[in-house]
């Protein structure tokens, strides 16, 4: 079993920055990709960034490309999401996820079976 515990988030004004982190524990050898998703009420969970746990390849959704950076620290079993130039439309509940992922399916919720508890990010304009 894999456990994910998130931290970070909060409220910030538009143009500001926030960092989210996610700590993995348990049977992490079964995890190939880590991803960040976000969700607003009434909408589907959106994949925004992912990183290969072993080889550090990264990929981003168009809505965050150039503004957000996903990174990892394997020694600490942590994954980070640095969010810069935040916009009001970035307001959402953010989740980290772990699982098989893959270049072709990194954005698909069904590619991940382990999820963090979620953390709220609120950007005011």
């Amino acid at each position: 079993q894999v456990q994910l515990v998130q931290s970070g988030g909060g409220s910030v004004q538009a143009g500001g920055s926030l960092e989210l982190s996610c700590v993995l524990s348990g049977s992490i050898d079964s995890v190939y990709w880590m991803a960040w998703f976000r969700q607003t009420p009434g909408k589907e969970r959106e994949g925004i960034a992912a990183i290969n746990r072993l080889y550090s390849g990264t990929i981003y959704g168009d809505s965050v490309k150039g503004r957000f950076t996903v990174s990892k620290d394997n020694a600490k079993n942590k994954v980070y999401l640095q969010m810069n130039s935040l916009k009001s439309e970035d307001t959402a509940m953010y989740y980290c996820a772990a699982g098989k992922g893959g270049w072709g399916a990194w954005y698909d919720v069904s590619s991940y079976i382990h999820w963090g508890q979620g953390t709220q990010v609120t950007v005011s304009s």
Side-chain angles (χ1 to χ4, degrees):
Q1 189 65 287
V2 175
Q3 294 81 42
L4 305 177
V5 178
Q6 297 178 223
S7 59
S11 298
V12 67
Q13 289 192 330
S17 298
L18 285 172
E19 183 180 71
L20 307 181
S21 62
C22 179
V23 179
L24 294 77
S25 62
S27 303
I28 64 173
D29 288 346
S30 64
V31 173
Y32 298 105
W33 284 80
M34 298 290 300
W36 289 95
F37 286 75
R38 65 186 182 188
Q39 189 172 25
T40 55
K43 292 191 176 182
E44 293 186 354
R45 199 165 288 190
E46 174 195 11
I48 56 174
I51 185 167
N52 183 283
R53 190 177 69 82
L54 299 179
Y55 301 113
S56 301
T58 58
I59 192 164
Y60 298 90
D62 289 341
S63 61
V64 305
K65 197 175 296 182
R67 299 187 299 123
F68 291 12
T69 302
V70 59
S71 62
K72 63 184 177 71
D73 184 336
N74 283 351
K76 297 180 179 179
N77 288 334
K78 291 185 78 169
V79 176
Y80 304 92
L81 184 68
Q82 177 65 42
M83 304 182 292
N84 298 328
S85 302
L86 283 160
K87 307 174 182 179
S88 57
E89 50 262 47
D90 294 317
T91 295
M93 185 71 77
Y94 283 70
Y95 298 90
C96 65
K100 291 186 177 180
W103 289 108
W106 68 272
Y107 53 87
D108 189 341
V109 294
S110 65
S111 296
Y112 305 91
I113 59 173
H114 308 291
W115 293 85
Q117 79 277 19
T119 185
Q120 179 68 36
V121 170
T122 302
V123 184
S124 57
S125 57

